[in-house]
């Protein structure tokens, strides 16, 4: 059953989503060659707890960390390890926070040092496909319209769209109905209604759309081991239109500051 949220609930989800946004902004400042995913995880946990919130993923389905950190061919659900990042890596950082009984949950894929033009394009197209999906979250449209928009943009650019993992409703539970596939047919699926809150999260691969799970029981990797990108926002339908509750603004400011310091 889909739980549609009132304005008060949407504000609480926004509060948790913005804790995640600021967490990702802090990580953006320190993601560079030499730093380990585990260090990033500790920073994130510290910041989230300082906000009077709880890490949303830690312990959820027994996941062992605050962040899902997925490097290069890892798509999602990577467990932060000790191995330092190296120049040319990409890392997808997915983060959840729980405050006032409501979850925030979003993700961004970062470049570590200098990455190839091919991979830059993968990141750009994945992020664009997220915003194209969000534009479809309008009263009267359907869930399939979101998936169609994401899929169309990614496949037009010859990238693979992951099928086995999907976006979701968000609220008092991290994963609520409905499922939000990143592929689909226009005009198919549930109708989009006022108060719907979704985590929309395209996972787009440089090569094949196929993925497999590693023996750790968590990490999802591309079947051809080519890189994969993941961007996620939390979005509510307010006055019939999509309102993005999370923001990449903190990340973008941090990245700009970092770039300026290199010149
Ligand atoms: Mg997420
Ligand atoms: Mg999610």
């Amino acid at each position: 059953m889909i739980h549609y949220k009132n304005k008060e609930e949407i504000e609480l989800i926004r509060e948790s989503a913005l804790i995640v946004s600021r967490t990702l902004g802090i990580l953006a400042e320190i993601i560079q060659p030499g730093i380990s995913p585990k260090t990033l995880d500790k920073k994130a946990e510290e910041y989230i707890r300082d906000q009077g919130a709880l890490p949303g993923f830690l312990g959820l389905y027994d996941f062992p960390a605050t962040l899902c950190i997925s490097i290069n061919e890892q798509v999602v659900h990577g467990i932060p390890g000790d191995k330092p990042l190296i120049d040319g890596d990409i890392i997808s950082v997915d983060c959840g926070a729980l405050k006032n009984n409501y979850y925030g949950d979003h993700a961004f894929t970062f470049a570590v040092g200098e990455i190839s033009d091919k991979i830059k394009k993968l990141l750009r197209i994945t992020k664009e496909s997220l915003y194209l999906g969000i534009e479809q979250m309008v009263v009267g449209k359907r869930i399939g319209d979101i998936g169609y928009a994401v899929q169309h943009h990614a496949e037009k650019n010859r990238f693979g769209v992951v099928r086995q993992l999907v976006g979701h409703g968000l609220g008092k539970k991290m994963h609520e109905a409905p499922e939000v596939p990143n592929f689909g047919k226009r005009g198919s699926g549930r109708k989009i209604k006022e108060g719907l809150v979704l985590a929309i999260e395209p996972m787009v691969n440089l090569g094949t759309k196929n993925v497999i799970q590693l023996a750790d029981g968590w990490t999802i990797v591309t079947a051809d081991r080519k890189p994969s990108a993941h961007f996620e926002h939390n979005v509510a339908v307010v006055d019939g239109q999509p309102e993005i509750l999370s923001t990449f603004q903190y990340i973008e400011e941090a990245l700009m500051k970092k770039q300026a310091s290199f010149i």
Side-chain angles (χ1 to χ4, degrees):
M1 209 183 73
I2 298 177
H3 177 61
Y4 298 93
K5 277 83 181 175
N6 61 34
K7 297 243 156 115
E8 208 173 303
E9 292 180 288
I10 289 171
E11 286 317 308
L12 293 176
I13 298 170
R14 191 198 309 272
E15 193 179 335
S16 295
L18 289 177
I19 291 171
V20 174
S21 303
R22 292 194 299 270
T23 306
L24 294 176
I26 289 165
L27 300 178
E29 289 174 23
I30 56 173
I31 288 173
Q32 59 187 0
I35 198 160
S36 78
K38 231 179 201 160
T39 305
L40 300 176
D41 192 71
K42 271 195 201 123
K43 276 264 176 205
E45 179 172 359
E46 226 174 71
Y47 180 75
I48 290 168
R49 291 191 190 279
D50 278 351
Q51 309 307 302
L54 293 171
F57 296 163
L58 185 65
L60 184 72
Y61 318 116
D62 290 328
F63 188 76
T66 292
L67 302 174
C68 293
I69 295 190
S70 308
I71 304 166
N72 297 331
E73 75 279 6
Q74 298 176 354
V75 180
V76 285
H77 302 166
I79 299 168
D82 288 321
K83 204 174 139 220
L85 300 173
I86 58 171
D87 193 49
D89 280 344
I90 54 170
I91 69 162
S92 302
V93 181
D94 196 349
C95 179
L98 174 66
K99 193 174 177 181
N100 302 314
N101 294 319
Y102 286 86
Y103 281 99
D105 164 30
H106 66 108
F108 193 93
T109 300
F110 297 89
V112 180
E114 231 0 87
I115 59 170
S116 71
D117 287 346
K118 218 167 50 177
I119 298 177
K120 271 184 199 160
K121 185 178 174 191
L122 173 70
L123 301 191
R124 177 171 60 80
I125 297 297
T126 308
K127 205 206 281 181
E128 287 172 1
S129 74
L130 167 62
Y131 285 105
L132 290 168
I134 290 171
E135 276 177 21
Q136 298 297 312
M137 216 176 134
V138 169
V139 165
K141 294 215 177 213
R142 291 174 181 269
I143 297 294
D145 291 313
I146 300 171
Y148 174 83
V150 170
Q151 180 185 13
H152 181 73
H153 190 58
E155 289 184 351
K156 196 174 70 183
N157 286 281
R158 297 169 191 273
F159 294 135
V161 176
V162 174
R163 302 295 202 269
Q164 286 97 323
L165 298 133
V166 295
H168 50 92
L170 181 76
K172 282 189 178 167
K173 288 192 192 142
M174 172 72 76
H175 297 119
E176 296 186 355
E179 291 195 341
V180 186
N182 295 302
F183 59 96
K185 275 196 187 134
R186 272 194 275 203
S188 72
R190 302 288 293 257
K191 263 198 183 152
I192 292 168
K193 294 184 190 167
E194 186 73 13
L196 179 68
V197 179
L198 299 179
I200 301 181
E201 49 179 315
M203 288 150 256
V204 177
N205 301 343
L206 189 65
T208 177
K209 66 182 188 301
N210 296 326
V211 297
I212 54 171
Q213 189 176 52
L214 296 185
D216 64 12
W218 281 106
T219 316
I220 306 291
V221 299
T222 55
D224 59 8
R225 301 301 200 270
K226 287 186 180 169
S228 178
H230 178 215
F231 289 86
E232 178 177 18
H233 264 317
N234 301 146
V235 191
V237 179
V238 179
D239 299 328
Q241 297 294 317
E243 189 170 317
I244 305 179
L245 305 177
S246 44
T247 178
F248 293 150
Q249 187 198 327
Y250 302 106
I251 296 172
E252 277 150 13
E253 283 170 6
L255 295 181
M256 253 156 48
K257 224 183 339 177
K258 238 178 11 184
Q259 215 173 24
S261 72
F262 278 123
I263 296 167

